[in-house]
Amino acid sequence: MADLTRLTAAELSQKLQAREISSVDVTRAHLDRIAAVDGDIHAFLHVSSAALATAADVDTRRGDGEKLGPLAGVPIAIKDVLCTFDMPSTAGSKILEGWVPPYDATVVRKLREAHLVPLGKTNMDEFAMGSSTEHSAFGPTHNPWDLDRIPGGSGGGSAAAVAAYEAPLALGSDTGGSIRQPAAVTGSVGVKPTYGGVSRYGAIALASSLDQVGPVTRTVLDAALLHDVIGGYDPRDSTSLKDPWPSFADAARTGARDRSLKGVRVGVVKQLNGDGFQVGVRDRFAESLEVLAAAGAEIVEVSAPNFEYAIAAYYLILPAEASSNLAKFDSVRFGLRVNPKGGGTVEDVMAATREAGFGPEVKRRIILGTYALSAGYYDAYYGSAQKVRTLIQRDFDAAFERADVLISPAAPTTAFKLGEKLEDPLAMYLNDVTTIPANLAGIPGMGLPMGLAPEDGLPTGIQLMAPARADVRLYSVGAALEALLEDRWGHTLISQAPELAVAR
Amino acid sequence: MAKAELMDFDKALELFEPVLGFEVHVELNTRTKMFSDAPNFFGGEPNTNITPVDLGLPGSLPVVNEQAIRYSISLGLALGCEIAPSSRFARKNYFYPDLAKNYQISQYDEPIAHDGNVEVELPNGKVFQVSIERAHMEEDAGKLTHVGGATGRIQGAEYSLVDYNRAGVPLVEIVTNMISGAEHDAPELAKAYVSTIRDIVVSLGISDAKMERGNLRCDANISLSPRGSGKLGTRTETKNVNSLRSVERAIRYEIQRQAAILAKGGTITQETRHWHEDTGVTSAGRPKSDADDYRYFPEPDLLPVEPSEALIAELRAALPEAPAIRRRRLKEAWAFTDLEFQDVQNSGLVTEIELTVAAGAAPAQARKWWTGEIARLANLASVDASSLVSPLHVSELVAMIDNGELTDRLARQVLEGVIAGEGSPAEVTKSRGLVVVSDDGALIAAIDEALAAQPDVLEKIRDGKVQAAGAVIGAVMKAMKGTADAARVRELVLERAQQ
């Protein structure tokens, strides 16, 4: 049998529905792949012991003639920031080591209801704070393209899992680029939906006003299929949108079939491209622009003058919300408890627990956020940051009057070396310069492969952005661009990844 | 606990002007909690009425209870407040083990209701206008039990237990503006204000409003301003005031305590103080300063609360009559003296009397029966008078007295029967055979006998000393075992004595 791990979710779906293969076959193939390569990659923090049983159940249902959704029987990896009632959910932190929530996140519940097969939980920067997955309390994830390099972050585990063929699909979460930037540096596809498009219930919060759960895959169509499963209104999330959503999979199929961008106005954001970007990234971006124009797109340059303040605003709003969201980790009701020597008051226990349980980046951001919210500083920091946020939203509004979608590189560089930026938080923060504005404005964004940088042979990614609620444009334009680029190259990008050594 | 030095109350008022302020927390009696679908029921097995939201488990999110919004708007309207077209929740950040998330979701700078006014009438008839700064929604915290110490307080305890059943119970906090000018009436005003708030929430049906159960909690702020100084003093905030009587006592105590300190040149520490019901004193709690930093910021997990104008209009139209207006209306309609009306109010039976009058009874009769015999029986049985008998039955009883079918004494027996569940007053009268003797023949025989037995009384009546007839009337009533109509007996006694 052909290697089932090389198939896309859409292909697996077709073969499962045609009963050419069973979910048990597919699931076993992926579990074997995890066993073979994850010692080097370390994409997974936990591998489910129930996956094969779940797959067998789906096969039985299919055998019984039950009407199943398109992704039924397809395995999926789940970022460890999402609560799962049958697996530990640690958010990459020592403070939650071994914690099994008594409930499923809404997106996980939807996966189960659609009969996808959870394979396990993926590695991430602790509480999603980071751009390299090096801030995981359980050790870094390695980039399948080059094991000495970072897989991006915070969702490096999910991106590496799909790039290394350990899973066809994964869930991620994106607060400032944690889905799109890892996609860019691993040659995979990631989507941050419109804020409110996917429920946050059961996603361990980093910054509530920025967090959004989304798909991580190897193709645009797979992302669309997964988005169709996880999206929609959830009464348990007050910020969830009640909008009806079109089929993203239909949009992706149409986009790939027509390969036409006639009449589509594509805005190039002046501030998200230029000298600070790696030369190979700029070259590949220029190539994508050519391809888009050749397919009939109207390329316009748009300016977003306030993006210059986006990182500064983001690193006030995020730590402020995070400092409050992370206050609950106090040892009283769940998670790690550290009793100080000789006992002490509840405050002493809380302090000792947080001292031992949080890593340095988490502590850094809690301190920053606590400071930014303090009386006397609130207006200057948090208040000003919120004003910048409004200005950035206005920049987007103006840009979308001239363009249907906006594009930029998804990350300024290819994957950097593990350890390269660990001691320089500011350099690490700057890696999210392209992705942060979409989170601040609540608009949807997609990262997808745009080719290899000639100088280092590593993947680069392009970012598409659409107005809030217009996620469907990402899928139609994204699928068209993906198909046009692959036509030009004569292969998929991911097929160029080096073969990994397989443990026996 | 060392007893603080106190200054005589009148002396304190000579030297200082008291300035008051109140924060009253009202627990709403919604079916579920403020931000979760856990039952809003505090009590029972600890940590049973909880969901991941109430425990602040990672990933859980709050969802606002629509009923709590409606109740809060109704309360805001009843307090004469403006309802904000858009209000917001904020996070109040502080670490405490009874606070599951280590922040409380509360409204901060954008409350749902603001700028209101409440009319408060004191027992002496004085009326104060208490200005309301705001009424805002928030969630309650869990409850700590300190184990191992002698006092049950945290000092000396070995460990503490947390019950999160109360975590997330919906609260509205009503905050007054500073109240000055109450002078000697300050303690009474405090009591009357809280009592008025209780009347309002009870009339709205939005809270069980039992202070002893913590449904209604009052934090009383008080400071003393030296006469003629024009300067505000430092305030204390007294908590744990669990009854109307305590509100009055606590304010009086704080005035006397602060006055004693200030008169000696001391300074008041800005702090919370704990009221001790048993000893009648307050003790120092946590120091509180305006610089307490709760790092408030808008709650990003919730959208602004934006009630439609239609909803506000609907709730406004459904408001019950304001207690103050109703009081004035009833007092006028019933023509009671101030003292009588106060009696009625203190009895808590205004509604029962109103319904009894509506069913046809004279106000004086309704008052007499409810605050008299029925209240007495309720007291004996330790139950609420309103639970004993219906206003309709009381009205029927009064009507039977009015038309001579029952004497007061018989009516009391009938009432017993009604309370015992034997039926309506008419049914009880019939089944117990309690009929007023209206046959003059039987009465005359009894009267003649009594007059013959007391010839000296007969002489006195004939000499015009009519009041002497009482002895004969009493004897006749006794002989008739209370079944006679006393008025008719009196008429007949006077008539027979002249023959």
Side-chain angles (χ1 to χ4, degrees):
Chain A
M1 195 184 301
D3 185 352
L4 294 177
T5 63
R6 301 292 158 142
L7 301 182
T8 67
E11 288 162 351
L12 289 171
S13 163
Q14 208 172 22
K15 289 184 186 299
L16 284 163
Q17 289 184 61
R19 306 202 195 177
E20 288 170 31
I21 54 173
S22 72
S23 178
V24 167
D25 295 338
V26 178
T27 303
R28 184 173 290 129
H30 285 96
L31 290 172
D32 289 349
R33 176 73 179 171
I34 292 168
V37 303
D38 208 51
D40 287 338
I41 303 292
H42 193 225
F44 283 84
L45 293 178
H46 179 90
V47 177
S48 172
S49 55
L52 283 174
T54 307
D57 175 62
V58 181
D59 288 337
T60 306
R61 287 169 185 273
R62 202 184 300 280
D64 291 347
E66 191 174 320
K67 193 169 157 29
L68 299 169
L71 292 180
V74 178
I76 185 165
I78 299 168
K79 190 179 182 183
D80 208 32
V81 78
L82 295 166
C83 285
T84 46
F85 79 86
D86 57 351
M87 291 183 274
S89 306
T90 70
S93 181
K94 277 263 183 277
I95 213 162
L96 277 179
E97 190 167 9
W99 182 64
V100 181
Y103 66 102
D104 270 340
T106 296
V107 286
V108 173
R109 177 175 58 75
K110 288 188 171 196
L111 295 184
R112 295 191 206 271
E113 285 170 2
H115 300 293
L116 280 86
V117 180
L119 287 172
K121 306 297 285 289
T122 58
N123 199 12
M124 55 185 284
D125 286 297
E126 184 177 4
F127 289 109
M129 297 182 189
S131 307
S132 68
T133 319
E134 292 167 291
H135 290 304
S136 167
F138 308 108
T141 296
H142 299 259
N143 192 321
W145 290 76
D146 177 348
L147 295 177
D148 291 334
R149 291 181 186 266
I150 59 103
S154 66
S158 283
V162 300
Y165 301 104
E166 295 175 86
L169 301 171
L171 284 181
S173 71
D174 189 316
T175 305
S178 288
I179 287 176
R180 290 160 290 158
Q181 180 258 9
V185 300
T186 59
S188 52
V189 176
V191 177
K192 180 203 97 70
T194 295
Y195 184 79
V198 176
S199 171
R200 291 186 297 118
Y201 191 81
I204 298 170
L206 168 55
S208 312
S209 72
L210 303 164
D211 297 346
Q212 193 62 193
V213 177
V216 176
T217 60
R218 289 191 297 268
T219 70
V220 172
L221 175 58
D222 283 1
L225 285 163
L226 184 51
H227 195 162
D228 282 339
V229 171
I230 61 173
Y233 175 66
D234 178 10
R236 290 193 180 278
D237 176 0
S238 305
T239 60
S240 160
L241 296 170
K242 289 185 176 165
D243 302 41
W245 298 93
S247 163
F248 299 125
D250 286 352
R253 285 197 185 95
T254 307
R257 186 193 63 213
D258 295 351
R259 285 167 162 73
S260 165
L261 294 164
K262 201 154 279 167
V264 177
R265 299 173 304 163
V266 174
V268 179
V269 186
K270 193 174 136 197
Q271 283 77 5
L272 299 183
N273 190 21
D275 292 346
F277 288 62
Q278 192 177 318
V279 63
V281 170
R282 280 156 58 193
D283 289 351
R284 285 307 188 177
F285 186 63
E287 180 189 45
S288 284
L289 287 182
E290 266 175 47
V291 167
L292 288 165
E298 182 194 332
I299 310 289
V300 294
E301 191 185 66
V302 297
S303 183
N306 294 294
F307 281 19
E308 152 177 17
Y309 309 109
I311 288 189
Y314 176 82
Y315 277 102
L316 288 167
I317 292 167
L318 178 144
E321 292 184 11
S323 71
S324 175
N325 282 333
L326 297 186
K328 63 180 58 165
F329 299 94
D330 63 3
S331 83
V332 175
R333 293 162 307 284
F334 52 81
L336 182 71
R337 176 174 298 173
V338 175
N339 288 304
K341 279 197 188 107
T345 63
V346 67
E347 286 86 358
D348 297 331
V349 177
M350 286 178 182
T353 301
R354 290 165 69 82
E355 166 62 30
F358 287 144
E361 182 63 23
V362 173
K363 286 177 188 157
R364 176 161 33 235
R365 296 202 197 180
I366 289 174
I367 292 166
L368 273 173
T370 303
Y371 186 74
L373 287 175
S374 298
Y377 297 101
Y378 180 93
D379 289 340
Y381 294 131
Y382 191 77
S384 303
Q386 291 293 4
K387 284 177 195 154
V388 168
R389 195 170 185 172
T390 305
L391 294 175
I392 286 170
Q393 283 161 353
R394 284 187 197 155
D395 280 358
F396 272 120
D397 289 346
F400 283 123
E401 279 182 17
R402 300 185 49 218
D404 301 308
V405 292
L406 301 178
I407 59 167
S408 75
T413 64
T414 55
F416 48 88
K417 289 246 161 80
L418 284 160
E420 189 181 323
K421 296 187 179 176
L422 204 49
E423 300 309 318
D424 187 354
L426 264 183
M428 189 81 93
Y429 296 173
L430 288 171
N431 212 255
D432 293 334
V433 63
T434 51
T435 46
I436 281 171
N439 297 82
L440 288 172
I443 64 166
M446 171 187 281
L448 71 156
M450 63 173 182
L452 301 177
E455 63 270 32
D456 56 17
L458 291 168
T460 65
I462 190 168
Q463 173 178 233
L464 299 178
M465 291 174 283
R469 298 178 154 92
D471 306 44
V472 71
R473 288 186 204 170
L474 299 180
Y475 290 106
S476 54
V477 176
L481 176 60
E482 178 186 53
L484 290 163
L485 285 171
E486 288 173 2
D487 288 348
R488 183 179 175 113
W489 304 328
H491 54 72
T492 62
L493 185 87
I494 196 79
S495 65
Q496 304 304 296
E499 282 300 324
L500 293 166
V502 167
R504 294 280 171 198
Chain B
M1 190 176 318
K3 204 144 185 155
E5 198 184 321
L6 301 181
M7 182 185 280
D8 173 72
F9 183 72
D10 289 330
K11 181 82 192 300
L13 264 294
E14 255 174 53
L15 298 175
F16 303 101
E17 187 196 345
V19 177
L20 309 177
F22 302 101
E23 289 158 24
V24 173
H25 287 85
V26 180
E27 270 185 7
L28 302 180
N29 57 8
T30 50
R31 198 175 55 76
T32 56
K33 290 185 180 178
M34 186 75 224
F35 300 115
S36 85
D37 53 10
N40 176 15
F41 174 68
F42 175 48
E45 275 295 296
N47 297 312
T48 49
N49 293 325
I50 49 170
T51 68
V53 176
D54 309 303
L55 285 184
L57 292 190
S60 65
L61 295 172
V63 174
V64 176
N65 182 332
E66 288 292 328
Q67 189 64 45
I69 301 275
R70 294 172 66 97
Y71 281 2
S72 303
I73 294 172
S74 293
L75 179 52
L77 292 170
L79 296 171
C81 287
E82 287 174 39
I83 303 302
S86 178
S87 67
R88 261 203 301 196
F89 285 98
R91 290 189 187 176
K92 180 180 183 180
N93 295 286
Y94 63 98
F95 280 84
Y96 208 68
D98 65 3
L99 195 62
K101 304 179 291 295
N102 286 317
Y103 59 80
Q104 180 194 30
I105 306 179
S106 172
Q107 294 195 308
Y108 175 52
D109 51 353
E110 298 177 61
I112 190 161
H114 58 92
D115 296 311
N117 185 73
V118 174
E119 188 179 302
V120 178
E121 188 178 333
L122 303 192
N124 64 15
K126 276 193 211 167
V127 173
F128 280 91
Q129 302 296 331
V130 174
S131 149
I132 304 293
E133 183 198 316
R134 57 190 281 155
H136 68 254
M137 298 180 281
E138 61 187 29
E139 58 176 339
D140 210 341
K143 190 173 170 60
L144 291 175
T145 308
H146 305 294
V147 183
T151 58
R153 302 190 63 191
I154 193 164
Q155 290 83 1
E158 281 172 37
Y159 60 91
S160 303
L161 299 171
V162 203
D163 177 6
Y164 291 103
N165 281 352
R166 196 178 67 188
V169 165
L171 297 176
V172 175
E173 180 177 341
I174 304 165
V175 183
T176 66
N177 286 311
M178 276 194 301
I179 306 164
S180 47
E183 300 294 351
H184 280 76
D185 291 321
E188 282 286 347
L189 173 61
K191 179 185 175 185
Y193 169 71
V194 178
S195 169
T196 302
I197 296 297
R198 192 183 60 176
D199 289 350
I200 289 172
V201 297
V202 166
S203 75
L204 292 168
I206 61 173
S207 172
D208 298 343
K210 295 202 176 2
M211 288 191 84
E212 67 277 14
R213 287 196 203 156
N215 301 142
L216 199 79
R217 307 198 279 268
C218 175
D219 299 342
N221 290 299
I222 182 140
S223 66
L224 296 184
S225 164
R227 297 262 170 220
S229 73
K231 280 190 203 147
L232 283 173
T234 303
R235 73 187 146 84
T236 60
E237 180 181 345
T238 302
K239 289 179 174 287
N240 195 37
V241 198
N242 294 332
S243 70
L244 289 177
R245 188 166 155 265
S246 304
V247 176
E248 181 179 350
R249 289 171 72 204
I251 291 285
R252 185 178 299 272
Y253 178 88
E254 268 300 291
I255 290 176
Q256 293 180 268
R257 186 188 69 86
Q258 290 186 16
I261 292 170
L262 291 171
K264 283 182 142 180
T267 53
I268 303 300
T269 312
Q270 187 171 339
E271 62 190 357
T272 60
R273 296 192 64 88
H274 210 73
W275 170 252
H276 302 273
E277 180 74 47
D278 46 354
T279 49
V281 303
T282 64
S283 66
R286 199 165 54 87
K288 190 166 183 165
S289 75
D290 290 329
D292 268 350
D293 191 350
Y294 292 114
R295 304 188 311 280
Y296 281 102
F297 72 102
E299 166 57 282
D301 286 329
L302 294 171
L303 301 176
V305 177
E306 295 178 338
S308 67
E309 280 181 36
L311 174 66
I312 296 172
E314 175 203 322
L315 294 172
R316 192 189 296 279
L319 280 186
E321 189 178 19
I325 293 173
R326 174 171 183 237
R327 200 166 52 233
R328 217 170 292 144
R329 173 175 63 77
L330 292 178
K331 194 171 167 191
E332 200 179 309
W334 292 347
F336 291 169
T337 65
D338 287 350
L339 206 64
E340 287 168 344
F341 196 77
Q342 253 174 54
D343 253 13
V344 168
Q345 277 202 278
N346 294 340
S347 72
L349 292 164
V350 177
T351 301
E352 281 66 30
I353 293 170
E354 189 181 13
L355 291 171
T356 307
V357 171
Q365 283 287 76
R367 179 179 67 82
K368 180 180 128 185
W369 281 94
W370 278 106
T371 62
E373 184 65 6
I374 302 171
R376 189 183 66 84
L377 293 172
N379 207 20
L380 283 178
S382 299
V383 295
D384 282 348
S386 57
S387 70
L388 281 183
V389 55
S390 74
L392 218 60
H393 282 165
V394 177
S395 153
E396 188 182 331
L397 193 75
V398 167
M400 289 173 76
I401 297 165
D402 285 350
N403 62 27
E405 283 173 67
L406 291 176
T407 62
D408 275 13
R409 184 173 153 168
L410 279 181
R412 279 196 288 276
Q413 293 181 45
V414 172
L415 182 65
E416 271 180 36
V418 173
I419 289 170
E422 293 168 24
S424 71
E427 286 162 358
V428 174
T429 304
K430 198 173 165 199
S431 64
R432 288 196 174 189
L434 303 169
V435 182
V436 173
V437 176
S438 50
D439 172 1
D440 282 358
L443 287 179
I444 288 165
I447 288 165
D448 286 350
E449 197 178 314
L451 286 173
Q454 302 182 68
D456 51 330
V457 175
L458 183 61
E459 281 305 312
K460 283 179 184 166
I461 296 171
R462 284 180 175 162
D463 288 349
K465 290 176 180 154
V466 178
Q467 66 272 30
V472 176
I473 297 166
V476 173
M477 292 302 288
K478 198 174 171 187
M480 300 303 297
K481 297 189 166 61
T483 61
D485 176 353
R488 180 65 185 150
V489 171
R490 182 184 162 80
E491 268 174 35
L492 287 172
V493 167
L494 296 180
E495 206 178 292
R496 298 304 290 176
Q498 301 307 326
Q499 287 175 2

